[in-house]
Amino acid sequence: MSRHFASLLAIAVVAVTLTPGAASAAPKEKEVDCTQVKCVALTFDDGPGKYAGELLDTLKKHNAKATFFLEGQYVKSRPAFAKRMAVEGHELGNHSYSHPNFTTIGPAAIRSEIQKTQDIVKQVTGVEPKLLRPPYGMADLQVSDIAAEFGMPMILWTGGSRDWESKNEEAIKKQTLAVAKQGSIVLMHDWVKQTVDSMPSLIKTLQNKGYHLVTVSELIKDQKLEPGDIFPVPEGWEK
């Protein structure tokens, strides 16, 4: 997939692979082939949130995997959660250090936000994130070029739970089930208590529908993403 774009237009999106590193502590599990079975990737932004421990308990109980796009500032303040995510086989991505809009700050500031998060995640977990999710899903050519410098593709989402907006357990479940289809990357947040409370029922429902809950890297491994690529490609970005 090429990274040639027609303009520097910032795209607001509504709608990789981690080096195993110290996550070798995680038990080796049979890899899921998402070309043969139904897969959904649940992704959690802005964490580790204060309810992450409860969420991890639920994921472990149901043998489900997730991808956590972490903010460096919260990895620093809640290191035990980040370490547990890695040990239990979840994927860790970079979501900046303090969540600024990358399209409104300079290149040095963007590099600092990414590097500080890379450093603290590696220090705490032994894992170096290989995926970047720009805050707010906002990116332009400059952000793409900097992501490429770090060797990272950018991962957005195909649909969101809108948990930050509703903060209502039933609404979160209904919205998530509406957007969860084969190959979906679903945006959620582990700092929303109602999201964490909804997860036992939500996971059970998805699994009963035949879905495997996998990491982003498992889901998109056939996409052959290159550093600086964005996926899924939002309207207005040319291949």
Side-chain angles (χ1 to χ4, degrees):
M1 186 183 297
S2 172
R3 286 196 306 109
H4 297 293
F5 304 104
S7 72
L8 300 183
L9 178 65
I11 305 296
V13 180
V14 185
V16 195
T17 305
L18 283 179
T19 301
S24 58
K28 185 68 175 177
E29 299 181 13
K30 185 177 179 181
E31 191 169 334
V32 176
D33 184 350
C34 294
T35 66
Q36 301 297 317
V37 298
K38 293 164 60 178
C39 293
V40 167
L42 301 181
T43 67
F44 296 88
D45 281 13
D46 304 342
K50 61 183 178 179
Y51 308 111
E54 184 180 343
L55 173 58
L56 289 168
D57 289 343
T58 299
L59 291 168
K60 184 174 183 179
K61 178 179 179 181
H62 294 280
N63 193 30
K65 293 296 183 282
T67 300
F68 292 89
F69 287 97
L70 303 175
E71 287 185 40
Q73 61 180 335
Y74 297 124
V75 175
K76 182 176 181 180
S77 62
R78 302 185 182 108
F81 287 154
K83 185 173 183 179
R84 184 180 168 192
M85 290 168 183
V87 167
E88 295 185 359
H90 302 290
E91 185 162 37
L92 308 184
N94 188 317
H95 195 46
S96 82
Y97 193 86
S98 59
H99 210 271
N101 181 340
F102 280 0
T103 66
T104 64
I105 61 177
I110 296 170
R111 291 186 182 97
S112 176
E113 285 281 331
I114 296 172
Q115 189 64 63
K116 284 170 66 178
T117 299
Q118 292 293 92
D119 291 346
I120 189 67
V121 173
K122 181 68 178 294
Q123 176 187 328
V124 167
T125 70
V127 174
E128 184 176 21
K130 298 299 182 185
L131 301 178
L132 176 67
R133 175 170 281 171
Y136 309 105
M138 296 292 290
D140 55 18
L141 183 58
Q142 175 175 262
V143 177
S144 175
D145 286 342
I146 293 172
E149 291 175 14
F150 282 88
M152 306 171 83
M154 295 180 287
I155 302 298
L156 302 182
W157 52 90
T158 60
S161 63
R162 304 198 68 81
D163 53 357
W164 55 271
E165 182 179 49
S166 70
K167 292 190 172 66
N168 177 279
E169 191 173 333
E170 288 305 315
I172 290 166
K173 287 194 288 187
K174 182 178 180 180
Q175 174 64 15
T176 301
L177 291 172
V179 300
K181 307 180 188 308
Q182 166 62 10
S184 292
I185 300 173
V186 182
L187 172 63
M188 311 184 86
H189 300 85
D190 65 0
W191 54 265
V192 177
K193 185 178 188 304
Q194 294 84 355
T195 293
V196 175
D197 290 344
S198 74
M199 290 308 294
S201 171
L202 189 50
I203 290 175
K204 196 174 300 184
T205 300
L206 287 169
Q207 290 179 335
N208 286 342
K209 288 176 176 286
Y211 288 106
H212 294 255
L213 301 183
V214 300
T215 65
V216 167
S217 289
E218 287 178 294
L219 188 73
I220 67 169
K221 65 181 179 181
D222 291 337
Q223 294 292 327
K224 311 297 185 189
L225 297 183
E226 297 177 2
D229 283 349
I230 191 164
F231 184 86
V233 179
E235 184 179 352
W237 289 56
E238 293 189 357
K239 297 182 180 180

